[in-house]
Amino acid sequence: MRIRRKHWPWLACAVMAAIGFPALAQGEAGQAAPRPAAAAAADPPATASVIVQTVGSSGLFYDGSGSDTSDNQVEIVAGGKVTFSYPTGTLGHNVVFNGPQPTSCVQTEGAGPFPAPPLPQYTLPAPWAGDCTFDTPGTYAFHCNAHPEMTGSVVVDEPSGSPTPTPTGTATPTPTATATVSPTPTPSPPQLRPTSATIDAHDYFFQDAAAADQGDNTVDVQPGQSVKFEYPAGANFHNVEFNDSKPTTCEQTAGVVLPGIALPPLPAVPLGAGWSGQCEFDQPGTYTFFCTAHNYMTGTVVVGAPDGGGPPLAGIASLPDFLAPAPRAWVSFDPPRRASTTIAKLARGALKLTGHCTSVGDGKVTLTASKAQARRLHLRSRTLGTATAHCEDNGLFKVTIKSSAAVKRALKHYHGKALKVTATVTLRGAGGSSSSKRPVTLGGGK
């Protein structure tokens, strides 16, 4: 059929309608047309802070940006910095990273400063502070050397839209001449008096080394005599600090000696087993001492008058035996058995935890997950379970953790191998209150 010239404009319109409009419709509903780019997710902050706080005979770490002391996790972007600080407190604490280490750490306040990490190198009383930089994404778990139940973590995220770095050639370093160091003469050791008594530090008590009774933490000496203090064996960190009355002088004779720090405490910070030293007592009196990492560890040095008698007590010839000092409140978890701490047992309401306690009564045990774990479990709360605890007459507590229905459903649908959670116990009684934390790994078994 022949199409006349006057119909060509109408034919052109028909072709455009057949071709252009479907393409336009496809651009609106299909994938051919470009979409607006999605807004990039905001990066975590470049800085964060972790506060160290003493609680009873232990302590805790918490996110310094808030007031929730159970929140022991902070999140930053790769290349960011976290400030760790211990503003007030008498116990010794520090930050030790379990596996992956930060790129660098610098102690900015406190005794020393010492190379870091750990931050500080040794467990120190307040105040101290320092910064750690994290260049590599990942999760950095940490704890306190003197109180392993104190835990926390730093989550480092990859920045959004990070460009792939282009490898560059590595310059060959030019060797430099090594300077010859002239040896310095070793100073002569101080002339120490012979010791008249010995106090041994144990995990977790002081004892007169000459006594068979572990509860005997007192020694008697005469003015001008010395007492030896030592921590011969153990798996924790201890030292000796005096309350009000101080010895004439103290000298550390074994273990890591920290330069530039006056003694006592002896050692200057809580150290592991292998340290010893001695203190001289020239003035009569009663010298009470404790461990700065575990203030429930106490003892006494009684320095008598030159004639052999001790300082007189107002109107009392001697203290009756029943007036023993009241022990301080203390609580701590026992190490959980792997076979009995599983995700399945928590989901069934059969997870059991035990511990030791002194001078406390009733309280509560809470099992919490980190923020990241709660998100993976699709839970609004970090609390995985609770239990009511009671310190028995034999100094033990036993609890069975109970979870909500929502937590039980989340755990039954969780397909990960393990969950790392934190158990916290707080007990109160006539001796005061005491809290303790312990990391617990919930395995994937039955």
Side-chain angles (χ1 to χ4, degrees):
M1 180 181 67
R2 185 177 180 182
I3 302 174
R4 297 182 180 181
R5 185 184 300 268
K6 67 177 181 179
H7 294 149
W8 286 4
W10 298 104
L11 180 61
C13 291
V15 172
M16 290 298 296
I19 298 176
F21 292 162
L24 179 59
Q26 183 181 4
E28 292 177 351
Q31 298 181 356
R35 290 183 175 183
D43 286 335
T47 60
S49 67
V50 173
I51 306 296
V52 186
Q53 179 178 320
T54 290
V55 179
S57 58
S58 183
L60 54 84
F61 298 105
Y62 71 94
D63 182 353
S65 65
S67 57
D68 181 6
T69 56
S70 66
D71 186 358
N72 61 351
Q73 185 180 84
V74 295
E75 190 171 1
I76 59 171
V77 70
K81 180 184 296 184
V82 177
T83 297
F84 297 88
S85 62
Y86 181 26
T88 59
T90 56
L91 296 186
H93 299 301
N94 70 345
V95 176
V96 181
F97 291 90
N98 304 340
Q101 301 293 304
T103 306
S104 63
C105 289
V106 177
Q107 184 184 342
T108 57
E109 183 183 358
F114 305 104
L119 177 66
Q121 184 75 27
Y122 306 97
T123 52
L124 295 178
W128 59 256
D131 301 323
C132 289
T133 301
F134 301 83
D135 290 344
T136 305
T139 299
Y140 298 76
F142 57 85
H143 66 278
C144 169
N145 229 349
H147 309 92
E149 68 275 8
M150 294 174 55
T151 61
S153 60
V154 177
V155 177
V156 182
D157 294 334
E158 185 80 39
S160 58
S162 299
T164 303
T166 302
T168 57
T170 303
T172 303
T174 303
T176 56
T178 303
T180 303
V181 180
S182 301
T184 56
T186 303
S188 302
Q191 297 299 317
L192 303 175
R193 302 175 190 174
T195 56
S196 302
T198 300
I199 290 286
D200 282 347
H202 299 274
D203 298 339
Y204 298 86
F205 60 92
F206 290 112
Q207 180 184 3
D208 178 1
D213 182 8
Q214 292 185 351
D216 187 351
N217 59 355
T218 300
V219 294
D220 297 273
V221 297
Q222 294 301 311
Q225 292 182 334
S226 297
V227 175
K228 180 181 180 180
F229 297 89
E230 63 179 358
Y231 180 29
N236 214 283
F237 298 80
H238 305 299
N239 69 346
V240 174
E241 172 65 307
F242 292 87
N243 288 304
D244 296 324
S245 300
K246 307 288 185 182
T248 306
T249 183
C250 289
E251 189 73 34
Q252 186 177 340
T253 56
V256 178
V257 178
L258 305 181
I261 303 180
L263 304 178
L266 174 67
V269 298
L271 296 179
W275 63 259
S276 64
Q278 65 183 67
C279 295
E280 298 176 357
F281 299 84
D282 291 343
Q283 299 299 319
T286 300
Y287 299 77
T288 58
F289 58 87
F290 64 97
C291 169
T292 61
H294 310 93
N295 57 7
Y296 52 87
M297 292 176 56
T298 60
T300 306
V301 176
V302 178
V303 182
D307 60 0
L313 296 173
I316 302 178
S318 62
L319 286 174
D321 293 339
F322 62 82
L323 289 182
R328 300 186 183 186
W330 172 75
V331 64
S332 180
F333 283 106
D334 292 334
R337 296 173 55 192
R338 290 187 179 180
S340 61
T341 51
T342 64
I343 298 173
K345 286 200 172 185
L346 177 60
R348 295 198 306 267
L351 178 64
K352 299 180 183 295
L353 297 175
T354 63
H356 286 70
C357 46
T358 302
S359 295
V360 288
D362 297 330
K364 184 178 181 181
V365 174
T366 305
L367 203 66
T368 56
S370 66
K371 292 178 181 177
Q373 290 168 336
R375 286 196 297 265
R376 286 197 294 269
L377 291 169
H378 304 289
L379 293 173
R380 296 181 179 180
S381 171
R382 295 173 53 205
T383 300
L384 297 183
T386 61
T388 299
H390 175 73
C391 185
E392 305 291 345
D393 293 338
N394 59 0
L396 300 175
F397 72 88
K398 300 178 182 180
V399 297
T400 301
I401 304 296
K402 301 298 182 183
S403 302
S404 66
V407 172
K408 290 180 179 180
R409 287 194 299 270
L411 294 175
K412 290 179 180 179
H413 291 88
Y414 179 73
H415 300 296
K417 293 183 178 179
L419 273 177
K420 292 185 177 181
V421 299
T422 301
T424 304
V425 57
T426 301
L427 299 181
R428 297 175 176 82
S433 64
S434 180
S435 297
S436 179
K437 289 190 175 185
R438 186 174 190 92
V440 178
T441 299
L442 300 178
K446 299 180 179 180

